[in-house]
Amino acid sequence: MLKPKIAVINTSASFSSCYIHVDKISAAVQEAVRAAGGIPFEVRTVAPSDFVTSAGKKARYLMPTRDLIVNEIECMVEGAVLAGMVCLTSCDKTTPAHLMAAARLNIPTILLTCGYQVGGEQSDGKFVDIDDVYESIGAVACGKMSLCELCEMSDHAIQSPGVCAGLGTANSMHIVAEAIGMAMPGNAPIYADSKKLYQYTGLVGERIVDMVQRNLCPRDIITKKGVENAIMTVLAIGGSVNTVRHLSAVATEAEIDMKVVETYEALADRVPLLTAGRPNR
């Protein structure tokens, strides 16, 4: 009864490549929490995927599901008076939702980013990934590519679990989670289902128990300086513009007195672009 009770937030579903490996990661994290002296409780939430849940209602579910995840975590974790959280974060809306929930509840929390997918080779030997598919949709629409060619690309573009391989919202927010201090150093970006990712499951299990014992809480980490550091990181790597809305929401939940959009604008002229990751090439 005296052991720390740790929520393992498993935001996953079987209908998306973003999440199909997360159940295995959850089991590994739970084992690591037990080994570190805590008691894990898996908490499942709705798992929006921009691949899938943008199909209905003209994609109007996407942003509301982010906030729904936050509310579900609050209900299950605060309602059960759990001591800490490990959030298994993957697709676009899960990372901001987990950061928002951490800031709102302010109990010891660590995010484990669950990695990116890899593409594959077509019959002609050309490498393709999901960003190539995205970019080719317009080519089909204007007659520069046939639908059959697009279908062949789609057949080879995703060859593993994980989020879109390019520097879209998911990978950008994974990097934000690390830059702000809520994920372990070196966790983002990382290849999904890799040996390195499973090494991190042991590290976060041990770390969250230590954080609970020391009462190290998100609002000690998600500070104005922390958000500024995340913004500078986004600008330096050319990350997704969606980080603006998500970091604004995280700062609001953490009750930080700052204007995130104005901070982006102020820092944009000072922070150089250090790398041009896809799809920002």
Side-chain angles (χ1 to χ4, degrees), residues 83 106-109 208-218 220:
N106 200 35
I107 62 172
T109 301
I208 190 60
V209 172
D210 177 65
M211 290 173 68
V212 169
Q213 292 170 343
R214 295 195 295 121
N215 196 33
L216 179 58
C217 296
D220 300 322

Side-chain angles (χ1 to χ4, degrees), residues 123 125 151 254:
S123 56
C151 288

Side-chain angles (χ1 to χ4, degrees), residues 15 34 84 95 100 129 138 157 182 187 212 224 243 247 264:
F15 59 31
R34 288 191 191 95
T95 310
M100 290 165 65
D129 62 22
M182 291 295 292
N187 181 205
V212 169
K224 183 176 181 180
T243 60
L247 274 172
Y264 268 90

Side-chain angles (χ1 to χ4, degrees), residues 4-262:
K5 313 301 187 294
I6 308 298
V8 178
I9 308 298
N10 185 359
T11 300
S12 68
S14 62
F15 59 31
S16 171
S17 60
C18 300
Y19 303 120
I20 57 176
H21 61 313
V22 179
D23 283 353
K24 292 189 297 181
I25 296 171
S26 176
V29 170
Q30 291 176 62
E31 182 179 346
V33 169
R34 288 191 191 95
I39 300 179
F41 293 93
E42 186 178 63
V43 174
R44 292 181 172 270
T45 75
V46 63
S49 165
D50 285 17
F51 278 143
V52 180
T53 43
S54 62
K57 295 291 183 180
K58 298 181 180 179
R60 285 179 292 179
Y61 281 114
L62 290 180
M63 285 304 295
T65 49
R66 182 199 69 178
D67 300 338
L68 178 58
I69 293 170
V70 181
N71 294 335
E72 286 189 307
I73 292 173
E74 178 183 1
C75 173
M76 297 299 291
V77 175
E78 190 172 65
V81 199
L82 301 181
M85 298 191 294
V86 176
C87 298
L88 309 180
T89 191
S90 194
C91 198
D92 292 18
K93 306 304 180 292
T94 60
T95 310
H98 292 162
L99 289 172
M100 290 165 65
R104 179 185 295 183
L105 299 183
N106 200 35
I107 62 172
T109 301
I110 189 167
L111 272 62
L112 177 62
T113 70
C114 294
Y116 61 87
Q117 65 190 225
V118 294
E121 288 188 359
Q122 298 184 108
S123 56
D124 60 2
K126 181 182 177 182
F127 180 84
V128 293
D129 62 22
I130 193 61
D131 281 313
D132 295 311
V133 175
Y134 289 151
E135 292 174 3
S136 298
I137 293 171
V140 174
C142 66
K144 293 183 178 180
M145 177 184 287
S146 71
L147 182 59
C148 288
E149 289 174 309
L150 181 63
C151 288
E152 185 187 3
M153 291 179 66
S154 299
D155 288 340
H156 297 88
I158 300 175
Q159 297 297 319
S160 78
V163 301
C164 300
L167 198 55
T169 305
N171 272 315
S172 294
M173 286 305 301
H174 289 184
I175 293 167
V176 160
E178 183 177 330
I180 210 169
M182 291 295 292
M184 297 200 70
N187 181 205
I190 194 170
Y191 173 40
D193 231 13
S194 63
K195 181 179 179 180
K196 185 177 180 181
L197 177 55
Y198 283 94
Q199 290 173 343
Y200 274 98
T201 62
L203 294 173
V204 299
E206 183 178 355
R207 177 63 172 157
I208 190 60
V209 172
D210 177 65
M211 290 173 68
V212 169
Q213 292 170 343
R214 295 195 295 121
N215 196 33
L216 179 58
C217 296
R219 294 192 188 186
D220 300 322
I221 301 167
I222 306 174
T223 61
K224 183 176 181 180
K225 286 186 177 180
V227 174
E228 288 174 348
N229 190 66
I231 292 171
M232 287 189 282
T233 302
V234 170
L235 293 170
I237 63 174
S240 170
V241 69
N242 287 330
T243 60
V244 178
R245 69 172 72 183
H246 294 319
L247 274 172
S248 296
V250 172
T252 297
E253 292 288 358
E255 299 183 339
I256 300 171
D257 184 17
M258 69 180 298
K259 296 179 180 179
V260 170
V261 175
E262 292 183 7

